[in-house]
Amino acid sequence: MNRKVYCRRAVKYMVRLLVLVFVLIAVMVATGMARTGADGNLADVFLTPKALLLLAIIVLWSLVYPKLGFIRQPLKMDFNAGKEQIQKVFSDNGFVLLEQKDNMMVFRMSSSLGRLLALGEDRIVVSATEEGIEMEGLRKEVARIEFRLQPFLQD
């Protein structure tokens, strides 16, 4: 994964976490569970040592997340002979074929909600290698597809 993609994924994840925290704080303020100043100043909520620590943790986790959340997984399977099985497994698991070339297929989630929850990083690229195929994408989705492809893998 190149630096540009890594940074884009980190920023997207950081924004997602910050929005979640701000929504939670807004709910707490609206319900009276958050301590604000007598004048309703939100600085009392956001400028506490715990809030700053939470912000630091969000930034650090966002910087690590692309390395942990995405994977490039090699599999022993003939790309050309297994194209139909690959397409069927992806289709059965909620993916559609977005692009196909001689030695590469790109799939993305068919569900708009799934794409939204994956922050638009829902693509899985299946490419031919000398040893077989290689899948690159979200770790959870690649692992799920790999499990479904097990019957078609070469020993």
Side-chain angles (χ1 to χ4, degrees):
M1 162 176 16
N2 65 35
R3 182 175 274 171
K4 183 180 176 183
V5 171
Y6 192 94
C7 290
R8 183 186 70 227
R9 289 175 177 171
V11 168
K12 282 182 178 182
Y13 194 67
M14 185 183 324
V15 168
R16 179 185 199 173
L17 290 176
L18 289 173
V19 166
L20 177 65
V21 167
F22 286 129
V23 166
L24 289 174
I25 290 173
V27 168
M28 289 174 59
V29 168
T31 60
M33 295 178 63
R35 293 185 193 155
T36 58
D39 58 351
N41 188 359
L42 288 178
D44 296 337
V45 175
F46 290 109
L47 297 179
T48 65
K50 288 181 182 179
L52 295 176
L53 177 63
L54 179 61
L55 180 63
I57 289 170
I58 287 173
V59 169
L60 290 175
W61 182 248
S62 297
L63 291 175
V64 173
Y65 173 73
K67 189 71 172 168
L68 300 176
F70 294 86
I71 189 172
R72 182 175 285 168
Q73 182 69 33
L75 300 171
K76 291 184 179 181
M77 180 178 191
D78 187 304
F79 181 79
N80 292 319
K83 278 185 180 181
E84 289 182 26
Q85 289 100 349
I86 293 170
Q87 289 180 359
K88 179 167 178 18
V89 167
F90 272 92
S91 176
D92 291 348
N93 285 282
F95 285 83
V96 294
L97 183 63
L98 189 66
E99 179 183 347
Q100 183 171 1
K101 295 182 182 174
D102 291 339
N103 61 351
M104 181 185 77
M105 291 187 284
V106 179
F107 295 90
R108 93 177 299 168
M109 291 181 184
S110 57
S111 160
S112 298
L113 180 61
R115 285 196 304 269
L116 180 66
L117 292 175
L119 303 174
E121 299 292 340
D122 59 324
R123 293 177 186 213
I124 296 180
V125 178
V126 180
S127 53
T129 63
E130 291 179 15
E131 297 83 30
I133 64 170
E134 183 176 83
M135 291 193 300
E136 181 180 2
L138 276 169
R139 181 178 297 271
K140 180 182 94 169
E141 299 301 331
V142 167
R144 187 165 56 108
I145 297 295
E146 178 187 7
F147 178 76
R148 302 284 196 256
L149 283 174
Q150 286 295 327
F152 307 110
L153 297 179
Q154 301 166 354
D155 293 328

